[in-house]
Amino acid sequence: MSVVIPILLVLALLWVLLAVVAVQPEPSVPNSLPHPDIDGMMAGSDGLARLAEIGLPAFSLQAATLILVVLMIALGVSRRYRTLPFWLGLAATAILFLFVWSRIFLGHQHFLSTGEVHYVLGFPAPTAWVGYGIWASGLALLLLYVLGFRKFIYTHEDEAEFERLVQELPDGE
Amino acid sequence: MEALRSEIILGFVAAYLVFCVAVGLWAMRRTHSAGDFFVAGRSLGPFVVAMAIFSSTLSGFGFVGGPGLVYATGVSSLWMVAVSAIGYGVGFWLVAKRIRMVTEVRRCLSLPDVVAARYNSEGARFLTALTILLGVMGYLATQILALALVMQSILQGTEAFAGVSLVSCVLFATAILVFYSVTGGIIASVYTDLVQGAVMIVAGLLIVIVAANVFDGGIEQASAIVLADNSEAMMPFGTAGIIACLSWFFIFGFGLAGQPHLITKMMMNKRISDNRTIYPMSVFGYIMAALLWVSVGIVMRAVVLDGGHDPLGAPDAAAPAFLSAFAHPLLAGVVFAALLAAIMSTSDAFLNIGTAAVIHDIPIAIRGRSLDRELLWARVFTIVIAAVAAGFALFSFYQNERLVAILGAFGWSTFAAAIVPVVVIGLNWKRGTARGAVVAVLASLLINFGIEILPISLPKDINGGFLAMLTSITLFICVSLLDKRPKHAPEMARIMKI
C-alpha cells in the first residue's frame, strides 16, 4: 500500500480534530490578558479554564501531527528500502515523539492540578520537555538519517544508477 | 572601554560590512554564467552549504523578534524554535536528494525549474515563481527595514552620526546588500553566509553564558521569577495558548522544508552523499544560534519583573536592551554584527530567488524561454528588486504600515502551504499531478491572502497558515488521486525510483 493513503487518513483525522476544536464553547476566560503592571507584556489567564474544553482534542491534534511527520518521513524513502529495520527505527522515533508530547501535556496538567514545580536544566519540567525534548526527538530523526544513509536514503547502487543517468544525458556532464 | 561602547560596536559592524563587500568582489571573478549566479555551478562543499542553509533560516526575526516574543508572551514561541530539528529532518529526508538530482539532470537554475521538470507544467512553474516573487517582496521589505533600523540605532549611539536619518540608513544598507549580491550572485551569498553563520553561532553561545550569569541562580532563577509572576507565561504553551503553539509546530515543522530560500541551497552541493554531513551541521548551527532567542527573552522578562530594568518601550527592544545592560562592549559588537548577518543572509537569499523568478522562470512560463543574456539581466534585476523592496519598506514605515504586513503574509506560511505539497510531497510521490500542484498553490495564495486582507478571524487561535497548509496538502493529494495518472519523462521516472 502506498504510504500516501495513511497520510490522507491522518489528514482527514486532523480536519476532524480541528473542527472539534473550533466548535468547542469559548473558554470562560480569555486566553491571555495584558500584564496588569507592565505595558507590552502579556499574561496567561487561568490555565485549567482555558484547557477545560479543548485540552483533549488539542492533545489528539498534536499526536496526529506527530504521526503525520513520521509518515511523511517514510514517504521520503523508496518503497524497496522500507525494510523492517527502517520501520523499527521509524517506530522508535514515533514512540519518542509521542512520549515527549505526553510529558509536555501531562506535566502541564499535573502542574495545574497540584501547583508543584520541578526544574530541569533551568526550566519547569514540562517547558524543558518542549525545548530539550522536541530537539532531542528531532535529533533521533537525524541519527536515523545519518546511520541509515547508505542503507535506505542513497545506497551505493542508487549512486551508481544516478551516475549512469547523468552519463546518458544527451550532452552529458 | 565602556565609554567607547558605541564606537566599538560600530567598529565590529563596519568590519563586517567591509568583509561583505570584499567577498562580493572576490566572487565576481568566479561568476561567469547564470548557473554560477543562481546555483553556484552545483559545486559547493558540505560545510558551506550547511552554514548557508541554517543562516538563511534564522533571519533578523530570530535575533530581534524572537527575544521580543518571549519577553511579551512567555515561552509560547519556544515551539517555533524547538521544532526546527524536526523541520530540517523533513527537508533532508524528503527534498535534499531528489531536488539535487533533478537540478543536475534537467540543468535547473531555480525552484520553479524543478517544479516544471517534475510536473512537465508551465502553469505550475508560473504559479510557483509568482508565489516566490510575492513572498520575496514582502520578506525583503521587512528585512531591509529591520536592517536600516538596526543601523540607525547603532549610528545614533555615536557622536559623529547622531542625526542620521532612516532614509540614509535604508539607502546605505540596501547598497551594501545589492553590491555583493550583484557582483557575486549566489557565490557571494553563500560565502558571506559562511561567515554570517559562524558569527551567529559564536554570538548565540556567548549570549547564553552571559544570560545564565545575570541572576545568581542562573536561568532557573529567571524562570522562577517569571513563573511566580504568571505561571502560564512559563508553562509550555505560554500566554499564546495551546492551539497557537500547536499551529506554529505544524507551520514551522513541515513549513521549513517549503522555504524556497533554504531548499534552493540543497540544489548547490557538489555531491548528493554530502547531505549526510550537511544535515547535522545545519541543525547544530541553528540550535546554537537560536539559544539567543530563548535565553535573552526569558532573562529580560525576569529582570523587568524583578525591577532590575525599566519596562521596555516595545518587546523588540528586548535584545538591544539586554546587550546594553549586560553584555561587554566587545560581545555587544559581535552580537550586533551577528544581527546584521542574520538579516543580510536571509535578504541575499531572497534577492537571488526573486531575481530568478523575474528573469528566468516567469519568462520561460510565458514565452518558452528565459531572457537573453541572463547573467546581465540577473544583475540588473537584483538591483531593481532591492530598490522596489527598499521603496516598500520606506513607504510602509512612513505612510502605510499595512502594506508590508500584507506582503509579509506572503512569507513563511504561504511558501510553506504552496511548496510543501508541490515539492516536498511531489518529489516523492509519482502519482502527484500538475493539476494537483496548481490547485494546491492557488489554495495557498487565496487562503493566506484572504485571511490577511478580509476581516476573518479563526476560532480558538487557529493560525491561518496552519489552515492554508492543511488545505493545500489535502487538496494536492485528493486532486491528484482523482486526476489521470501522470506520465513522467524517462529521466524523471528514473529519478523518482532512486
Side-chain angles (χ1 to χ4, degrees), chain A residues 2 4-5 7-8 11 14-15 18 21-27 31-32 35 38-45 47 50-51 54 58 61-62 65-66 68-69 72-73 75-78 80 86 97 101 104-105 108 111-112 117 119 122-124 126-127 130-131 134-135 137-139 141-142 144-147 149-150 152-154 158-159 161-162 164-166 168-169 171-173, chain B residues 42 71-73 75 78-79 81-86 89-90 92-94 96-98 100-101 104-105 107 219-220 223-224 227 229-232 234-243 246 249-250 254 272-273 275-276 279-280 283 287 290-291 294 298 301 304-305 311-312 315 420 424-425 428-429 459-462 466-467 470-471 473-474 477-478 481 491 494-495 497-498:
Chain A
S2 166
V4 166
I5 301 303
I7 286 176
L8 197 55
L11 287 170
L14 281 170
W15 277 110
L18 205 57
V21 167
V23 300
Q24 292 302 313
E26 286 296 329
N31 210 15
S32 60
H35 193 281
I38 298 170
D39 285 344
M41 264 189 208
M42 300 298 289
S45 61
R50 64 180 186 164
L51 276 178
I54 57 169
L61 186 80
Q62 180 65 0
T65 299
L66 294 170
L68 185 64
V69 171
M72 292 277 277
I73 295 296
L75 183 68
V77 173
S78 295
R80 65 184 178 285
F86 166 74
F97 281 178
W101 169 232
I104 295 167
F105 188 84
H108 185 217
F111 168 77
L112 291 175
V117 187
Y119 286 88
F123 299 102
T127 308
V130 177
I134 295 179
W135 264 337
S137 50
L139 294 182
L141 218 47
L142 189 155
L144 194 59
Y145 184 92
V146 171
L147 296 179
F149 189 80
R150 286 300 190 186
F152 41 75
I153 304 286
Y154 191 56
D158 290 341
E159 193 164 19
E161 163 65 4
F162 182 63
R164 268 195 302 279
L165 174 60
V166 171
E168 289 169 20
L169 294 174
D171 53 346
E173 284 202 344
Chain B
R42 299 188 309 273
Y71 173 83
T73 67
V75 295
L78 192 54
W79 286 83
V81 188
V83 75
S84 58
I86 294 175
V90 174
F92 278 92
W93 280 84
L94 285 121
K97 179 179 75 175
R98 291 213 166 85
R100 176 63 183 74
M101 287 180 177
E104 182 162 354
V105 169
R107 318 282 200 273
I219 297 287
E220 184 173 318
S223 296
L227 187 117
D229 172 71
N230 176 245
S231 61
E232 284 300 282
M234 202 58 225
M235 278 294 154
F237 310 112
T239 65
I242 189 167
I243 298 298
L246 300 186
F249 183 95
F250 194 93
F254 289 111
I272 294 169
S273 54
N275 286 326
R276 192 179 193 176
Y279 175 13
V283 172
I287 290 176
L291 290 173
V294 183
I298 287 173
R301 187 168 173 121
V304 169
L305 289 170
L312 305 178
V420 165
V424 178
I425 298 177
N428 296 282
W429 185 43
K460 311 290 185 311
D461 296 318
I462 295 169
F466 175 31
L467 188 69
L470 197 56
T471 306
I473 293 174
T474 309
I477 294 175
C478 291
L481 286 174
E491 69 275 16
R494 284 174 68 181
I495 287 174
K497 267 189 185 172
I498 293 175

Side-chain angles (χ1 to χ4, degrees), chain B residues 11-332:
Chain B
F12 271 93
V13 168
Y16 166 70
L17 294 177
V18 168
F19 162 79
C20 290
V21 171
V23 170
L25 291 170
W26 169 79
M28 186 164 65
R29 279 182 280 170
R30 293 183 61 183
T31 303
H32 308 295
S33 66
D36 294 335
F37 194 89
F38 290 123
V39 288
R42 299 188 309 273
S43 62
L44 301 177
F47 188 64
V48 178
V49 175
M51 296 296 263
I53 286 175
F54 111 73
S55 65
S56 301
T57 316
L58 203 65
S59 65
F61 176 67
F63 269 45
V64 176
L69 270 177
V70 177
Y71 173 83
T73 67
V75 295
S76 306
S77 68
L78 192 54
W79 286 83
M80 297 180 190
V81 188
V83 75
S84 58
I86 294 175
Y88 280 116
V90 174
F92 278 92
W93 280 84
L94 285 121
V95 180
K97 179 179 75 175
R98 291 213 166 85
I99 200 171
R100 176 63 183 74
M101 287 180 177
V102 177
T103 300
E104 182 162 354
V105 169
R106 298 296 287 263
R107 318 282 200 273
C108 297
L109 296 184
S110 65
L111 189 62
D113 267 351
V114 173
V115 171
R118 160 63 182 84
Y119 296 99
N120 193 24
S121 163
E122 293 306 320
R125 178 205 295 273
F126 178 81
L127 282 173
T128 308
L130 184 67
T131 305
I132 288 173
L133 187 60
L134 289 168
V136 160
M137 294 312 297
Y139 251 141
L140 199 54
T142 56
Q143 296 294 317
I144 287 175
L145 187 57
L147 190 58
L149 287 167
V150 171
M151 274 192 178
Q152 189 184 33
S153 73
I154 294 169
L155 292 171
Q156 282 179 339
T158 63
E159 280 186 27
F161 301 103
V164 69
S165 70
L166 185 70
V167 175
S168 306
C169 291
V170 165
L171 290 175
F172 182 66
T174 310
I176 299 279
L177 182 64
V178 163
F179 180 82
Y180 76 83
S181 300
V182 165
T183 51
I186 199 70
I187 296 176
S189 170
V190 293
Y191 280 97
T192 50
D193 284 353
L194 183 66
V195 173
Q196 287 159 352
V199 172
M200 286 154 68
I201 289 173
V202 170
L205 276 173
L206 293 178
I207 282 294
V208 168
I209 295 168
V210 173
N213 286 290
V214 168
F215 291 98
D216 292 340
I219 297 287
E220 184 173 318
Q221 188 179 345
S223 296
I225 291 168
V226 175
L227 187 117
D229 172 71
N230 176 245
S231 61
E232 284 300 282
M234 202 58 225
M235 278 294 154
F237 310 112
T239 65
I242 189 167
I243 298 298
C245 292
L246 300 186
S247 294
W248 289 337
F249 183 95
F250 194 93
I251 295 169
F252 284 83
F254 289 111
L256 194 141
Q259 300 306 304
H261 54 299
L262 305 188
I263 56 176
T264 303
K265 304 278 169 32
M266 294 174 176
M267 299 163 65
M268 298 174 191
N269 47 323
K270 196 170 184 179
R271 289 190 304 268
I272 294 169
S273 54
D274 287 342
N275 286 326
R276 192 179 193 176
T277 48
I278 294 171
Y279 175 13
M281 285 192 285
S282 301
V283 172
F284 172 79
Y286 185 89
I287 290 176
M288 291 298 109
L291 290 173
L292 183 148
W293 176 322
V294 183
S295 57
V296 168
I298 287 173
V299 167
M300 276 314 293
R301 187 168 173 121
V303 167
V304 169
L305 289 170
D306 203 36
H309 195 287
D310 290 337
L312 305 178
D316 283 353
F322 178 89
L323 293 175
S324 298
F326 304 112
H328 186 277
L330 290 174
L331 175 58

Side-chain angles (χ1 to χ4, degrees), chain B residues 133-139 141-142 388-389 392-393 402-412 414 449 452:
Chain B
L133 187 60
L134 289 168
V136 160
M137 294 312 297
Y139 251 141
T142 56
V388 173
F392 276 141
R402 287 275 297 158
L403 180 65
V404 166
I406 289 171
L407 289 169
F410 281 103
W412 186 281
T414 303
F449 207 18
E452 184 62 32

Side-chain angles (χ1 to χ4, degrees), chain B residues 432-493:
Chain B
T433 67
R435 189 171 286 126
V438 166
V439 170
V441 177
L442 283 175
S444 153
L445 293 174
L446 285 172
I447 295 173
N448 278 298
F449 207 18
I451 287 174
E452 184 62 32
I453 290 178
L454 302 173
I456 299 172
S457 64
L458 299 173
K460 311 290 185 311
D461 296 318
I462 295 169
N463 185 289
F466 175 31
L467 188 69
M469 206 167 152
L470 197 56
T471 306
S472 66
I473 293 174
T474 309
L475 281 174
F476 175 70
I477 294 175
C478 291
V479 171
S480 294
L481 286 174
L482 293 171
D483 207 356
K484 275 189 254 174
R485 192 174 284 275
K487 284 183 184 167
H488 299 289
E491 69 275 16
M492 281 306 303

